[in-house]
Amino acid sequence: MKSILPVLLIFAACAVASAELPPAADRPHVLPTVRTFMNFGGDAEWMRDKIDLTFRLQAKQGRSGMLAIRYALVCTMIEPSEKADALRRLCEEQGFDYEDCFIHFAEDTKVTLHVGSENAASPRQTRIIPGWDARNDTDHDGRVSDAEFASRPNAKARARQRREARVPIYYWGPPADDFVMNVGFQGYQRFIAEHHAPAEAAGWDGIFFDTVPRDVAGPGRGAAVVEYPRQGLEADRWQRDLQQLFAAVKRQQPGKLFVANGWEADPLVVDGFQQENWLNLATPAHEWRRRIDLARQHDRLGHVQLLQYNPVHEARLVEFGAKLPGVSRERDQLFGLASYLMAHGGSTYFGFGLHPYNRVTELWFDAVRVDLGDALGESRPWEPQSAAGAENNPNLLRNGLLDSLADWRLSDGVTLDAGEKHEGGASLRIDSADAKAIRIHSQNVTLKPRTGYTLSAWIKTANVRGNIGAQIYPYDFTKATTAPVESGHFAPVNLVPRIPDQDLPHAYPCCCPIYETHSHPPRRPPIRATGLSRHHPLPRGAAAGGDHRAGRAIQARPKACRTTHQRWHDRSLGGGGAGGLSRQDRRHPSADRHGNAKRRAGGPADFRGALPGER
């Protein structure tokens, strides 16, 4: 392929409007190599020779072949609004209870949201939303009287009327509030499929449905919700209800393009999805590769993908971006475009930006126009050859095979399990019934400056709910992070942390904890870890980064930890970032959202496990 110039792109996507949806290969694109989409921003003239899909209908005035899909909401609704008025009228006409269209907290729940608008500068406020329990309304008149309240069976539900218990999302009003909808309620499904979606799609090529998670949206996720208790066989009912709703929408308008934000259900039901937070420069190498491979798989199935790369923080342009001091815009742009090129095909579109998109057109860069020609073969990431020998080096973890719990610091709920193991005599099992509990299994290891290490583990999870399973994590290392394991079998996890770049030969103690965050009900997912192993020297300032969100319970077993003391190579490599651009070239010391290693008197750094919210 031809050389790639520094590139930063806006958003890319695909849509169609006709009696039949044309195959992916026949969908138009204006640039020779890249298919682009833009959520919002830009006028028709600006988009004419840059963008293939947009959420602005007037953009088709600049180029008739451009696709315009309308932004719409299906899982949430603003009140007051025209949509709310139309839904209320339909409920009255067909005898449905309007309040059945919303979901409600089943017990008093603490919720923190922005006040007035969802912007970084907006203040955040915590409120207690009262829960609703129909058993408290003993006379079934729709309200809990003073007498009923005083003797209510469920003291954890303080709502006097069901409306008070609605699940909010995004921000607190006034002048308007945004609520999560009951996507499984028959009356609401009929309203969306037969009335709202056809009206929204009229004159457009299709619809982009925002906020469509696989579980209850917003603060309702992980909370006790009346309509979605999520127990037993009902655990995934929200997703199944939403699949049914989307199927009804598609049946009504088979020739329209329907794309849902973050939607990953199987079967997909709609035509495609947007990955609004697909990648950023802090994504760890193994997670980068996983997302690339998944995007290629979806493209081969003909699924429309709007892959949105998130640029680094810039106060005026990208207020919510990851803060990575020292990362140039040019490098960030190149990494985003090159990552897309590793994954793209006829159904895959690229975007660049981050909410709220106010100045997204300023993120455009003309290198997107370069004709790179056709790929000559399969893509593959470049891996440093010197990393292959790490497994042959001595293990720095004491009792890394977990034949016993000696040499490890433990917390409650951490035990050995000889029945689940990958190698050695047992695995470390972590159980939790508390969604907010953190279980830590850790050990200090003396490391050397200017030396690369590999921390590896085998991890297995079972029957876990949330975003993240188990993690193995060197806390307060200079920008070293991990990613969750979300599987029912043992899977490898590898990290490449960097010892702080100091001239003096300080020793740095490091805890390599394996921790879990939540499980419902308590389970025993085993994990096997392979600790720190010697790795090839990294370029000066190398780092691995990523983002963590609270999630799954796990069991873990650290196994091996290895190290050598080698000088850093001070060399300049092109490209950069995790995985396919060169895992070795992560030279920016701020490649994730954690602070620099905390240096104490005497020089050591402190390494512990933590969740984002707990720091």
Side-chain angles (χ1 to χ4, degrees):
M1 299 177 71
K2 300 177 181 177
S3 62
I4 305 174
L5 297 178
V7 160
L8 171 62
L9 185 47
I10 312 249
F11 315 139
C14 163
V16 246
S18 62
E20 294 184 7
L21 201 60
D26 296 337
R27 293 171 193 154
H29 61 103
V30 65
L31 300 174
T33 303
V34 179
R35 295 173 185 260
T36 60
F37 82 94
M38 174 177 284
N39 290 354
F40 301 101
D43 56 25
E45 181 57 28
W46 187 92
M47 292 187 200
R48 182 178 58 82
D49 61 348
K50 301 179 184 71
I51 304 299
D52 298 311
L53 178 136
T54 175
F55 294 177
R56 293 186 179 277
L57 186 62
Q58 63 270 31
K60 294 175 77 71
Q61 299 169 3
R63 191 175 87 249
S64 60
M66 191 181 302
L67 298 168
I69 57 176
R70 186 164 191 172
Y71 179 92
L73 294 168
V74 63
C75 296
T76 69
M77 187 174 72
I78 296 172
E79 192 181 55
S81 65
E82 293 182 3
K83 177 181 176 182
D85 293 341
L87 175 59
R88 193 184 296 274
R89 288 194 298 270
L90 182 69
C91 288
E92 292 173 353
E93 292 170 3
Q94 301 195 2
F96 295 124
D97 185 344
Y98 178 71
E99 198 58 37
D100 285 340
C101 297
F102 299 86
I103 65 171
H104 307 82
F105 285 122
E107 60 185 36
D108 302 346
T109 304
K110 183 186 296 185
V111 176
T112 301
L113 299 173
H114 289 283
V115 177
S117 62
E118 191 192 9
N119 292 309
S122 297
R124 293 170 66 85
Q125 187 177 99
T126 298
R127 303 179 187 177
I128 301 296
I129 306 296
W132 172 258
D133 191 329
R135 294 174 300 171
N136 292 347
D137 178 19
T138 55
D139 61 6
H140 308 295
D141 66 348
R143 59 181 298 274
V144 177
S145 66
D146 291 343
E148 290 171 328
F149 188 84
S151 60
R152 62 192 188 279
N154 185 357
K156 294 182 179 180
R158 296 186 299 107
R160 295 299 190 100
Q161 299 182 52
R162 191 159 54 134
R163 175 187 171 84
E164 298 173 4
R166 288 183 187 176
V167 176
I169 190 169
Y170 297 134
Y171 56 83
W172 303 113
D177 289 294
D178 204 353
F179 297 109
V180 181
M181 307 306 291
N182 183 1
V183 297
F185 176 56
Q186 181 183 8
Y188 185 67
Q189 287 197 351
R190 185 178 302 174
F191 168 73
I192 293 293
E194 299 177 9
H195 300 273
H196 184 67
E200 292 292 289
W204 295 71
D205 296 305
I207 292 178
F208 170 82
F209 289 113
D210 199 5
T211 314
V212 287
R214 297 176 65 175
D215 196 1
V216 179
R221 186 172 189 175
V225 176
V226 173
E227 292 76 11
Y228 289 96
R230 308 196 286 281
Q231 297 175 353
L233 297 177
E234 294 292 290
D236 64 343
R237 185 158 63 87
W238 166 278
Q239 177 178 297
R240 289 186 284 113
D241 284 348
L242 199 48
Q243 284 174 302
Q244 292 175 355
L245 192 159
F246 279 148
V249 168
K250 187 64 180 175
R251 283 196 301 269
Q252 289 285 331
Q253 303 179 84
K256 299 284 187 178
L257 181 72
F258 294 106
V259 177
N261 192 11
W263 184 239
E264 297 178 351
D266 184 17
L268 199 62
V269 181
V270 290
D271 303 297
F273 53 87
Q274 174 175 321
Q275 292 288 13
E276 192 171 13
N277 300 294
W278 181 54
L279 286 179
N280 62 38
L281 191 54
T283 307
H286 55 281
E287 177 63 12
W288 178 92
R289 182 58 189 266
R290 186 190 72 83
R291 297 185 192 184
I292 295 294
D293 290 344
L294 184 61
R296 289 165 58 80
Q297 176 183 340
H298 279 293
D299 188 84
R300 289 170 178 172
L301 292 172
H303 298 159
V304 173
Q305 295 179 94
L306 309 149
L307 301 181
Q308 180 175 310
Y309 180 83
N310 293 160
V312 298
H313 173 80
E314 191 171 337
R316 192 175 66 90
L317 299 179
V318 192
E319 61 182 272
F320 287 116
K323 295 183 178 180
L324 308 181
V327 175
S328 68
R329 179 185 288 194
E330 289 73 20
R331 184 189 177 193
D332 193 33
Q333 293 169 346
L334 177 60
F335 180 78
L337 180 64
S339 296
Y340 161 76
L341 293 173
M342 293 286 284
H344 87 298
S347 298
T348 302
Y349 295 74
F350 181 61
F352 194 101
L354 194 62
H355 174 83
Y357 311 119
N358 294 335
R359 300 179 180 273
V360 70
T361 57
E362 297 179 49
L363 299 174
W364 174 266
F365 52 98
D366 276 339
V368 182
R369 300 180 184 276
V370 175
D371 186 355
L372 300 175
D374 295 328
L376 301 179
E378 289 295 311
S379 64
R380 66 178 180 85
W382 177 78
E383 298 283 358
Q385 296 299 315
S386 56
E391 288 298 319
N392 299 322
N393 295 318
N395 183 3
L396 295 183
L397 280 177
R398 300 176 302 282
N399 191 23
L401 289 178
L402 291 175
D403 294 319
S404 76
L405 296 178
D407 298 314
W408 294 93
R409 291 198 299 271
L410 307 174
S411 61
D412 293 340
V414 179
T415 58
L416 282 183
D417 185 349
E420 289 279 6
K421 57 190 176 183
H422 183 265
E423 60 182 282
S427 67
L428 190 81
R429 170 174 144 191
I430 302 177
D431 292 317
S432 177
D434 184 352
K436 297 180 176 147
I438 299 175
R439 304 284 184 259
I440 298 178
H441 178 62
S442 63
Q443 181 180 132
N444 281 350
V445 180
T446 299
L447 306 177
K448 299 177 182 179
R450 299 186 178 182
T451 304
Y453 296 85
T454 295
L455 176 61
S456 58
W458 288 91
I459 298 177
K460 177 178 180 179
T461 65
N463 298 320
V464 177
R465 291 185 45 205
N467 289 337
I468 285 183
Q471 291 196 14
I472 179 169
Y473 182 68
Y475 182 70
D476 239 355
F477 238 105
T478 305
K479 312 309 175 195
T481 60
T482 185
V485 169
E486 303 184 17
S487 65
H489 58 277
F490 280 107
V493 175
N494 294 285
L495 309 177
V496 185
R498 170 194 176 238
I499 304 307
D501 187 15
Q502 298 210 353
D503 293 327
L504 298 177
H506 291 308
Y508 293 86
C510 146
C511 277
C512 305
I514 300 167
Y515 66 76
E516 62 82 25
T517 55
H518 60 277
S519 118
H520 298 276
R523 283 292 181 186
R524 43 183 286 261
I527 304 178
R528 166 140 172 73
T530 332
L532 292 166
S533 63
R534 177 172 113 180
H535 198 275
H536 61 93
L538 302 176
R540 185 176 299 274
D547 179 20
H548 346 288
R549 295 181 175 82
R552 288 185 165 72
I554 321 192
Q555 303 148 58
R557 1 163 41 184
K559 162 194 163 188
C561 195
R562 308 153 195 181
T563 182
T564 54
H565 181 203
Q566 300 182 23
R567 300 293 294 178
W568 298 93
H569 288 294
D570 188 8
R571 58 182 178 177
S572 176
L573 299 177
L581 305 182
S582 165
R583 184 159 38 187
Q584 193 179 25
D585 189 29
R586 299 204 54 153
R587 290 169 290 148
H588 298 285
S590 298
D592 74 356
R593 301 180 193 178
H594 299 288
N596 290 325
K598 297 171 184 159
R599 292 172 175 80
R600 299 174 176 171
D606 181 28
F607 301 97
R608 289 170 297 182
L611 292 177
E614 299 293 331
R615 294 192 295 276

